[in-house]
């Protein structure tokens, strides 16, 4: 009987402290990594994701993005001496010569399949007139995308001073490129047959360095539909990949990997982590409309609640929309709602994901009707809970560590109370059984 009581108490304690934990984060070969939801930009995993590092040829993702955005993929161009001569002859290149007539389309294949540095430079000169002007465009576009730890010094990724990024910024850039189908068209090709032109009488074939899109390779992963490798002496192996599955679309970036196939193994592990540990949660507009109105009002805006749309994001399995809170942030032409983990759920979110939960999971543009009165002077952004109540007062001043202690104390008290109830019921059972025994002996 004593063993049964102990088992019951242990079960009760587990129930009191229950919660669904995220699948264990993988141990990576790479020095830095970022896992991102491709649809929303929500970060699901980070490892030194904001540390500045050289990025090697994944630089070409930004080069491809600008060519797609600013160029004509059906156009033709001519290789310039300046573009070709600025490439290290010992690096990866096709071997184009000055005045060679090429199409933008074939140059994109050469750059993203073969990782040809001369192709990258020729494309840069095609878009901007010269390589230096194109590099300026690269840095401007990175700033527009919100990159804070990135600076480009060339369009190809060869090691040089002032050429660096971080895993998070690289995920942002890859996500932007991924919004154009042409990026997947080029970066998913296993091989490409270079055609004849005014210099070469017969073309030749180039092959991808992305082993995990080759079906006969041990690292093959059918989810990957767009990817780019990189390697230099300083950067080591680097990689970006876009993956699609029934669970959604994800982006992985890894930097500073000492093992070539390690970048592919890490990518598969992170895709698995996203699928196994996270669930897609949709918050209906009606459920957060009251909170959005209050948050917007505190920031000085009036919104049209009927124009709000449902919000979809990813949360660790076992966590739902009750863990969310909202703040309103002013933008240049209106306001946006920042969807965040509430203070009282942050410890659980951090324990499950390893992320601190202090940054917005999503930012959603609000349908502003007109600016309201001056925003209330609260001294900080207005936090509004899921049910629309404000998170002000004493609870705002309680640190996360105190909340953790309170939760532990509550669990212990609950377990003790449950133990006392079980002991009382056990005693009552024994007394009833004893009375029945006495009645039988009479």
């Amino acid at each position: 009987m004593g063993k049964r009581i102990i088992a019951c108490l242990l079960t009760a304690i587990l129930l009191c402290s229950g919660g669904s934990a995220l699948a264990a984060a993988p141990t990576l070969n790479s020095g830095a990594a970022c896992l991102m939801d491709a649809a929303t930009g929500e970060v699901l995993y980070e490892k030194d994701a904001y540390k500045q590092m050289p990025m090697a040829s994944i630089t070409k993702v930004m080069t491809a993005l600008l060519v797609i955005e600013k160029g004509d993929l059906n156009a033709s161009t001519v290789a310039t001496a300046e573009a070709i001569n600025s490439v290290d002859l010992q690096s990866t290149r096709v071997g184009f010569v000055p005045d060679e007539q090429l199409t933008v389309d074939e140059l994109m294949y050469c750059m993203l399949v073969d990782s040809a540095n001369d192709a990258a430079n020729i494309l840069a000169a095609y878009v901007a007139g010269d390589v230096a002007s194109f590099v300026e465009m690269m840095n401007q576009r990175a700033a527009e995308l919100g990159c804070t730890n990135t600076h480009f010094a060339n369009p190809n990724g060869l090691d040089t001073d002032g050429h660096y990024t971080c895993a998070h910024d690289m995920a942002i850039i890859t996500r932007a490129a991924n919004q154009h189908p042409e990026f997947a068209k080029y970066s998913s090709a296993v091989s490409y047959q270079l055609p004849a032109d005014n210099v070469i009488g017969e073309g030749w074939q180039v092959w991808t360095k992305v082993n995990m899109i080759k079906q006969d390779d041990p690292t093959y992963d059918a989810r990957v539909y767009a990817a780019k490798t990189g390697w230099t002496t300083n950067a080591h192996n680097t990689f970006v990949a876009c993956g699609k599955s029934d669970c959604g679309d994800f982006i992985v970036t890894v930097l500073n990997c000492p093992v070539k196939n390690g970048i592919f193994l890490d990518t598969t592990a992170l895709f698995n982590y996203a699928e196994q540990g996270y669930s897609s949660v949709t918050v209906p507009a009606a459920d957060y409309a009251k909170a959005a109105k209050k948050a917007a009002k505190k920031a000085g805006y009036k919104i049209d609640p009927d124009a709000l749309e449902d919000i979809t994001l990813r949360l660790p399995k076992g966590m739902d929309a009750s863990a969310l809170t909202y703040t309103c942030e002013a933008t240049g032409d209106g306001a946006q709602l920042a969807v965040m983990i509430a203070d009282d759920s942050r410890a659980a979110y951090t324990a499950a994901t390893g992320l601190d939960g202090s940054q917005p999971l999503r930012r959603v543009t609000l349908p502003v009707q007109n600016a309201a009165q001056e925003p209330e002077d609260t001294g900080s952004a207005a936090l509004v809970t899921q049910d629309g109540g404000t998170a002000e007062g004493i609870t705002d001043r309680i640190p996360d560590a105190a909340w953790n202690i309170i939760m532990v104390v509550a669990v212990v008290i609950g377990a003790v109370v449950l133990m006392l109830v079980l002991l009382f019921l056990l005693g009552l059972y024994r007394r009833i059984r004893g009375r029945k025994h006495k009645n039988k002996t009479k």
Side-chain angles (χ1 to χ4, degrees):
M1 181 63 69
K3 291 182 178 179
R4 291 182 181 178
I5 294 173
I6 293 173
C8 290
L9 289 175
L10 289 174
T11 302
I13 292 171
L14 289 173
L15 289 173
C16 289
S17 60
S20 180
L22 188 66
T27 300
L28 303 181
N29 298 284
S30 303
C34 183
L35 169 66
M36 180 179 286
D37 184 305
T40 67
E42 181 184 349
V43 174
L44 308 179
Y45 174 87
E46 292 178 343
K47 177 183 177 182
D48 281 340
Y50 298 90
K51 185 177 180 180
Q52 295 177 357
M53 298 179 177
M55 62 284 220
S57 281
I58 59 175
T59 296
K60 297 180 175 79
V61 176
M62 174 59 90
T63 302
L65 173 62
L66 286 175
V67 173
I68 293 170
E69 290 180 339
K70 310 227 177 248
D72 179 358
L73 298 175
N74 297 314
S76 297
T77 188
V78 176
T80 65
E82 183 264 348
I84 294 171
N85 294 336
S86 58
V87 173
D88 183 352
L89 295 179
Q90 302 303 314
S91 69
T92 301
R93 61 194 186 93
V94 171
F96 296 119
V97 299
D99 298 325
E100 189 166 355
Q101 296 174 1
L102 305 159
T103 67
V104 173
D105 182 70
E106 66 191 72
L107 287 167
M108 287 286 279
Y109 274 116
C110 290
M111 180 178 72
L112 292 178
V113 177
D114 187 51
S115 198
N117 295 317
D118 49 359
N121 279 23
I122 295 168
L123 285 168
Y126 156 72
V127 172
D130 58 73
V131 173
S133 297
F134 186 82
V135 171
E136 292 180 6
M137 293 173 61
M138 296 173 77
N139 288 312
Q140 180 180 350
R141 189 70 178 101
E144 291 170 356
L145 290 171
C147 298
T148 57
N149 290 286
T150 295
H151 186 270
F152 294 102
N154 60 55
N156 49 60
L158 291 173
D159 287 332
T160 188
D161 292 340
H163 193 78
Y164 56 82
T165 189
C166 69
H168 181 260
D169 283 1
M170 207 61 230
I172 292 174
I173 294 168
T174 303
R175 179 172 178 247
N178 188 50
Q179 292 172 0
H180 300 277
E182 295 86 354
F183 176 67
K185 167 191 169 183
Y186 296 114
S187 63
S188 65
V190 174
S191 65
Y192 175 69
Q193 183 71 30
L194 193 69
D197 58 30
N198 65 316
V199 173
I200 59 172
E202 184 178 351
W204 62 87
Q205 198 168 32
V206 295
W207 293 86
T208 184
K209 296 175 176 62
V210 183
N211 293 340
M212 67 187 311
I213 65 173
K214 301 174 182 177
Q215 294 188 20
D216 59 348
D217 193 273
T219 64
Y220 174 71
D221 191 324
R223 293 171 294 189
V224 177
Y225 63 88
K228 182 71 189 77
T229 60
W231 182 89
T232 64
T233 303
N234 291 336
H236 301 297
N237 292 284
T238 63
F239 192 51
V240 300
C242 306
K244 180 188 294 289
S245 72
D246 293 340
C247 296
D249 288 14
F250 304 101
I251 290 170
V252 164
T253 63
V254 292
L255 299 172
N256 188 26
C257 183
V259 185
K260 181 178 180 180
N261 279 343
I263 56 178
F264 308 132
L265 299 175
D266 287 355
T267 297
T268 290
L270 287 169
F271 283 152
N272 292 341
Y273 175 72
E275 293 178 350
Q276 296 167 7
Y278 281 89
S279 296
S280 180
V281 175
T282 298
V283 185
D287 289 0
Y288 75 90
K290 184 178 179 181
K293 288 174 63 177
K294 286 191 174 184
K297 182 178 179 181
K298 282 190 172 290
Y301 291 95
K302 182 178 180 181
I303 64 171
D304 178 7
D306 294 331
L308 294 172
E309 297 181 350
D310 297 350
I311 297 174
T312 299
L313 68 165
R314 294 185 186 277
L315 292 174
K317 288 184 177 178
M319 188 172 285
D320 57 29
S322 64
L324 301 175
T325 190
Y326 308 91
T327 70
C328 185
E329 303 172 347
T331 62
D333 55 356
Q336 64 181 3
L337 192 72
V339 185
M340 306 181 69
I341 296 295
D343 286 346
D344 57 1
S345 297
R346 191 168 296 170
Y349 178 82
T350 299
T353 66
L355 304 172
D356 65 15
S358 63
Q359 298 299 314
L361 304 181
R362 291 236 13 220
R363 286 185 170 89
V364 181
T365 301
L366 288 173
V368 176
Q369 290 181 324
N370 58 275
Q373 68 279 1
E374 288 296 316
E376 299 179 20
D377 185 11
T378 61
S380 62
L383 288 180
V384 184
T385 58
Q386 172 66 20
D387 61 4
T390 57
E392 299 174 341
I394 296 176
T395 56
D396 275 350
R397 296 191 293 272
I398 300 178
D400 289 344
W403 278 117
N404 292 340
I405 295 173
I406 291 171
M407 292 300 294
V408 171
V409 171
V411 169
V412 172
I413 292 173
V416 171
V417 170
L418 187 57
M419 180 179 66
L420 293 175
V421 170
L422 289 172
L423 291 174
F424 171 78
L425 293 175
L426 178 61
L428 182 61
Y429 169 76
R430 286 176 172 173
R431 287 196 294 272
I432 293 174
R433 188 174 180 181
R435 289 174 183 172
K436 288 182 178 180
H437 179 71
K438 288 181 179 180
N439 291 337
K440 286 183 180 180
T441 58
K442 290 180 179 180

